[in-house]
Structures are given as structure tokens and as C-alpha cells.
Amino acid sequence: MPTPNPYAAPTAQVADIAPDIPADIAKKIKGAWVAGCISAAVTLVVTLIAMSGTEALGFSVWSLGDVAFILGLTYGIYRKSRVCAVLMLAYFVLSKIILMLEAGKPSGLLVALIFGYFYVQGIVGTFAFHKLKARQATEAVVPGSAG
């Protein structure tokens, strides 16, 4: 009968605390990051049009930074970051206010409200995810403590 290898790495059982994400939470988060992708794509297209020489609501080559920022926040939402979800909504609202002030009139309010809805849902989803994750981690450490 072979003896155990004294040089083998020790093994330990690790509790899997990755939460099963309920469909409603996952749907809210997915809606927010998809909206972020669409927002980045639209901003990129308008920026490229503006760079070609056509005047497009004050967009310029500097708007590529906006695209990168939106994509970064979108990736954060995809990774379920509460901070990114909140920053995305704040950035979106601020950018819409600036665009409306530059245009001199409110325009695109319906589309802005739709995107705003998805970003708010993303905030709700990411906070719900982290609440669930914390609850499941507590239950994994002390079984039956969630009462």
C-alpha cells in the first residue's frame, strides 16, 4: 500500500459562496450593461460623424474619452459593481443635461427616460446582488444563522 506523499500540497474544502443569481436580478443588471453598450455605440457613431467634419451637437474627438468612460462603467456593471452602476446613471443624467443646454431645448426625453430606467434597474440589481451575496456568505460561514 503506497504511503501518502509528504511533499504534496495540503488540500482543503472551500465553501462555494458564489451566489446563484435569481433571474430578476440578473435581468436588471443585464439590461443596464446592454443599455451602456448601446449608449457607447451611439456616442461613438456620433463622434465619428463629428470627426468627419459634420457638426453634431458639440461632439468632437474628445468625445472618444466619453466612449471609453461609458465602456468602462458598462464593464463594471457587467461585473456587478454598485459604484459603476451609480456612476453610470449620474454620468448619463449629467451628459443629457449638458446636451440639452447646448442644444437650447429639451430633446430626446423619451429615449433618455428609457435609458435612465435601465440604469436605475442596474443600480437596483447590483445592490440586490451584493445583498444576496453577503447573506449567502454569512449562511455559508454559520449555517442556520439566517433564521
Side-chain angles (χ1 to χ4, degrees):
M1 188 157 139
T3 60
N5 181 356
Y7 302 107
T11 59
Q13 294 222 334
V14 179
D16 183 18
I17 58 172
D20 292 325
I21 304 173
D24 61 328
I25 293 174
K27 183 178 177 182
K28 290 174 182 179
I29 294 170
K30 182 178 181 180
W33 68 257
V34 167
C37 287
I38 293 169
S39 180
V42 169
T43 304
L44 178 62
V45 167
V46 173
T47 300
L48 293 175
I49 290 170
M51 288 171 56
S52 72
T54 307
E55 179 61 31
L57 293 174
F59 281 73
S60 68
V61 70
W62 297 106
S63 298
L64 291 175
D66 290 342
V67 174
F69 186 65
I70 292 168
L71 287 174
L73 292 177
T74 299
Y75 180 70
I77 295 170
Y78 173 78
R79 301 280 300 163
K80 298 165 190 67
S81 167
R82 294 170 286 191
V83 172
C84 289
V86 171
L87 285 176
M88 178 65 93
L89 177 64
Y91 182 73
F92 180 76
V93 169
L94 181 64
S95 67
K96 290 304 156 205
I97 290 171
I98 290 171
L99 281 174
M100 288 180 191
L101 289 174
E102 286 180 1
K105 60 180 178 175
S107 61
L109 287 177
L110 179 62
V111 173
L113 288 174
I114 292 169
F115 274 88
Y117 168 79
F118 283 109
Y119 293 143
V120 168
Q121 291 301 305
I123 292 170
V124 171
T126 55
F127 274 83
F129 169 79
H130 284 280
K131 183 177 181 181
L132 176 68
K133 182 177 166 186
R135 185 172 59 231
Q136 288 182 352
T138 301
E139 290 172 358
V141 172
V142 184
S145 66

